[in-house]
Amino acid sequence: MSSIITGEAVVLELRPASFAARALGLFLDVLFNGVLLAAVLIGLSAAGEDLDEAAMRALVLVGVVFCLVIVPVGLETLSRGLSLGKLAVGLRVVRDDGGAIRFRHALIRGLAGFLEVYLTFGGLALAVALFNDKSRRLGDLMAGTYAVRTRIAAEPPVPVAVPPYLRAWAQTADIGRIPDGTARRASRFIRQAGRMAPLSRAGMAASIATELAAHVAPAPPPGTGPDDYLAAVVSERRNREFARLSAQRRRNTEVGDRLQRLPFSS
């Protein structure tokens, strides 16, 4: 998994596609383009009986370029990184910074793909993809793109509650000064703690708890462990945020009802 920080300081976690998934998607794309090309050539042969050999060759060349370059480039541009093969296996092409690709990215990929996929029967694309960490083919390296997985199993929610012996402290503690970044790290740790090694979990819990303690007052009761402290702070912060949003929604509803009762003159 690769993490990308956007300009708004939002962390995006993207899962690069595996080599097998990319190979399957490429095979499906080639199969679709091949069927399309065969249909075009059959149509040309049926409609071009009266054309001379030079004109027929020109039309065949146009048909090849249309099916193997223009159609893939157009699909990726309009769908922002999708193709029929990628859609089938759950992949999408994105820029190196995680953003959606544009026409120039799709064009570079399409032109390079004609060389590495069709002229070398996919050998060059597969060889290049085998020797880089994100299974990128030559077109991706030239365009600054790579494929990511779009079908990721949702993580089951981890129940978080304030430990009973900390409820009285949590209800009166000042936690409004916690930075959003620190709160996100604490929440992410709680979700992933069950999959961590005990030693790593204890060290990270102590580190995040120390970071939170600089923004929380008063200190928790003596003997409070880092795991319980994090659970109490994250849970209480969530509960207060939910209560605030619920109150805001009620106020908005009341204001809307009052506005609807006001007399309006035409």
Side-chain angles (χ1 to χ4, degrees):
M1 180 184 298
S2 59
S3 297
I4 296 173
I5 302 178
T6 68
E8 291 79 19
V10 177
V11 179
L12 301 179
E13 294 183 346
L14 304 179
R15 296 177 182 266
S18 65
F19 176 81
R22 292 222 60 181
L24 179 58
L26 179 62
F27 172 77
L28 294 176
D29 284 334
V30 170
L31 181 63
F32 166 74
N33 294 335
V35 171
L36 178 62
L37 178 60
V40 170
L41 294 179
I42 292 174
L44 289 176
S45 63
E49 296 179 352
D50 298 332
L51 298 176
D52 57 19
E53 184 177 355
M56 180 58 68
R57 288 181 179 177
L59 288 176
V60 169
L61 178 60
V62 171
V64 170
V65 173
F66 173 78
C67 295
L68 303 186
V69 178
I70 296 178
V71 170
V73 170
L75 284 176
E76 285 197 354
T77 301
L78 295 177
S79 63
R80 298 297 183 90
L82 287 177
S83 64
L84 293 182
K86 295 180 184 65
L87 185 63
V89 297
L91 304 180
R92 178 186 291 273
V93 175
V94 298
R95 303 194 307 261
D96 284 340
D97 61 0
I101 67 171
R102 299 181 180 180
F103 171 72
R104 66 181 180 87
H105 303 97
L107 180 61
I108 294 173
R109 283 173 43 80
L111 294 176
F114 185 77
L115 165 66
E116 61 178 329
V117 175
Y118 298 103
L119 295 186
T120 64
F121 300 99
L124 181 59
L126 296 177
V128 174
L130 276 173
F131 294 101
N132 62 80
D133 57 342
K134 295 180 180 178
S135 300
R136 301 198 292 180
R137 60 181 180 86
L138 183 61
D140 291 311
L141 296 175
M142 296 172 61
T145 59
Y146 69 105
V148 298
R149 295 166 53 189
T150 59
R151 298 174 187 169
I152 301 175
E155 294 184 357
V158 178
V160 183
V162 180
Y165 75 95
L166 291 177
R167 286 176 183 170
W169 168 81
Q171 291 174 357
T172 59
D174 179 10
I175 60 175
R177 298 175 297 167
I178 300 176
D180 291 338
T182 303
R184 283 196 298 269
R185 283 193 292 275
S187 299
R188 188 181 300 116
F189 167 78
I190 291 175
R191 292 197 306 268
Q192 300 175 351
R195 302 192 298 268
M196 299 176 64
L199 190 60
S200 299
R201 172 177 175 172
M204 185 169 292
S207 175
I208 298 177
T210 300
E211 187 175 354
L212 280 176
H215 309 283
V216 177
T224 302
D227 288 317
D228 288 347
Y229 179 71
L230 292 178
V233 172
V234 170
S235 180
E236 181 64 23
R237 191 174 189 269
R238 178 201 59 197
N239 294 341
R240 293 185 188 183
E241 186 68 15
F242 179 77
R244 184 186 67 81
L245 292 176
S246 298
Q248 182 65 41
R249 181 178 298 178
R250 287 195 299 270
R251 286 194 296 269
N252 292 342
T253 302
E254 292 174 358
V255 172
D257 292 341
R258 292 176 183 175
L259 291 176
Q260 290 181 356
R261 291 196 296 267
L262 290 176
F264 293 96
S265 57
S266 55

